[in-house]
Amino acid sequence: LVADRPFLGRISKTWVWTFARRIDGPDGAFGGVVFAAVSIGEIEKRFAQLKLEEGTTMSLRDAEERFVARFPATDAASFPIGEKRVSPALSAALAANPQRGTYQVDSARVDGAGRIYSYARSARYGFLVNVGIEHSAVFAAWRKQAWIAGGMIAILLLALLASWRLVRGAWERQAAAADSLREAQEIAQIGHYAYDLRKDVWTSSEIFDEIY
C-alpha cells in the first residue's frame, strides 16, 4: 500500500488522502494499480466517535510525518493539511524514538492547555498517531484513587482507635473490679484462691494466706 500526500480536490473542494496498491496477475506479472481516495472529513468523523476524555486531542500523520487529520478539528492555519509541521517537543521525541514515545507540553499551540502526549507509528504503513491528554484529566484518576486510599486509611485508624478504647475500657473495668474485690476482702477479712487443673497452678490472695 502506497499513500500519497493529502491534497485539496479540484472538484469536491475537500481534502482527500489517496492510496494505491499494485495488482499482480496469476503469473506474478504486473496487472495494474488500484486507487482509492479517503476524505479527511471521514477520518475526523471516526475520531469523533471515539470515547475520549474531555480536552483530549488526537492527530494522524502519514509516514513522512505530514499532517493529515486532527480531533477536534482546527483551522487550516493552525494545522495545514499535508504540511510537515511538527512541534519542537514532538520532534525531539521522534528523534529519540521514531516508533513510540511520550512527551509533555506545558502550553499547547491551539488552546494553551498543558498536555501529556503519547505517539505510536504503524510498523506496516508508517502512519503516526498522536494522542494528548490534559494534565487535569491525567491526574484526576490519581487524585480519586488518593482520596479513596486516604478515606480507607482514615476509616482504619478510626476503627483501631475505637477498638483501643473498647480494650482500654474493658481493662480499666477489670482493674477497677479487682480493686473493689481486694478492698471488700480486706474489709471483710476474707480471701480467695484459684486452682488451674490444666496447668496445675495454685494462686491465692494475701488475706487468704494469712487466714490459712
Side-chain angles (χ1 to χ4, degrees), residues 9 11 18 31 39 46 52 57 74 89 94 120 123 128 131-133 141-142 145 150 152 156 167 178 181 191 194:
I11 300 175
T18 57
S39 169
R46 298 297 183 271
L52 303 175
T57 64
T74 57
L94 290 172
L128 187 71
V131 179
I133 302 178
W142 178 86
Q145 293 177 359
M152 293 178 65
L156 178 60
V167 172
L181 178 61

Side-chain angles (χ1 to χ4, degrees), residues 94-117:
L94 290 172
N97 189 339
Q99 297 303 318
R100 62 180 63 249
T102 302
Y103 62 97
Q104 179 172 312
V105 173
D106 295 330
S107 179
R109 187 177 62 202
V110 177
D111 54 11
R115 289 185 176 88
I116 296 177
Y117 291 87

Side-chain angles (χ1 to χ4, degrees), residues 88-187:
L90 177 57
S91 178
L94 290 172
N97 189 339
Q99 297 303 318
R100 62 180 63 249
T102 302
Y103 62 97
Q104 179 172 312
V105 173
D106 295 330
S107 179
R109 187 177 62 202
V110 177
D111 54 11
R115 289 185 176 88
I116 296 177
Y117 291 87
S118 290
Y119 64 90
R121 188 186 299 274
S122 169
R124 185 173 183 180
Y125 301 115
F127 305 149
L128 187 71
V129 177
N130 193 16
V131 179
I133 302 178
E134 287 188 358
H135 291 162
S136 57
V138 172
F139 296 115
W142 178 86
R143 284 195 296 267
K144 181 179 179 181
Q145 293 177 359
W147 275 106
I148 293 174
M152 293 178 65
I153 292 174
I155 292 173
L156 178 60
L157 291 176
L158 289 174
L160 289 175
L161 179 60
S163 300
W164 163 247
R165 287 182 176 178
L166 289 174
V167 172
R168 182 177 178 181
W171 178 80
E172 290 177 347
R173 288 192 297 271
Q174 182 179 3
D179 292 338
S180 299
L181 178 61
R182 190 180 307 106
E183 292 177 1
Q185 289 176 346
E186 290 177 355
I187 295 173

Side-chain angles (χ1 to χ4, degrees), residues 28 32 50 65 150 185 205:
L50 298 175
E65 297 171 10
Q185 289 176 346
S205 65

